[in-house]
Amino acid sequence: MTITAALVLFSVIWFMVFFVVLPLRLVTQGDAGQVVPGTHASSPHELNLRRKARVTTLWALGLW
């Protein structure tokens, strides 16, 4: 496997895992009871994107 193929495979795995991890532990604005005017009640209350990216990277490295 070439380096380019390995990087492409890792990025595909990373994005697939990211879309699985994204809805985990999601607290919506409706659940929190603090809906910001102009947004849906199903919008995330706190996204924690950095933590989700870290978890995704760890899982993707393990799968890769």
Side-chain angles (χ1 to χ4, degrees):
M1 179 182 301
T2 63
I3 293 174
T4 306
L7 290 175
V8 168
L9 180 63
F10 178 75
S11 63
V12 168
I13 291 172
W14 193 92
F15 276 102
M16 289 178 67
V17 172
F18 183 68
F19 286 126
V20 170
V21 168
L22 203 54
L24 297 178
R25 294 186 181 187
L26 179 68
V27 177
T28 64
Q29 290 180 7
D31 294 340
Q34 299 174 345
V35 179
V36 178
T39 63
H40 293 281
S42 61
S43 299
H45 178 64
E46 290 183 23
L47 187 56
N48 295 328
L49 194 58
R50 184 172 300 188
R51 183 177 189 280
K52 291 182 185 217
R54 246 184 297 156
V55 169
T56 300
T57 303
L58 291 175
W59 277 96
L61 280 171
L63 290 172
W64 182 58

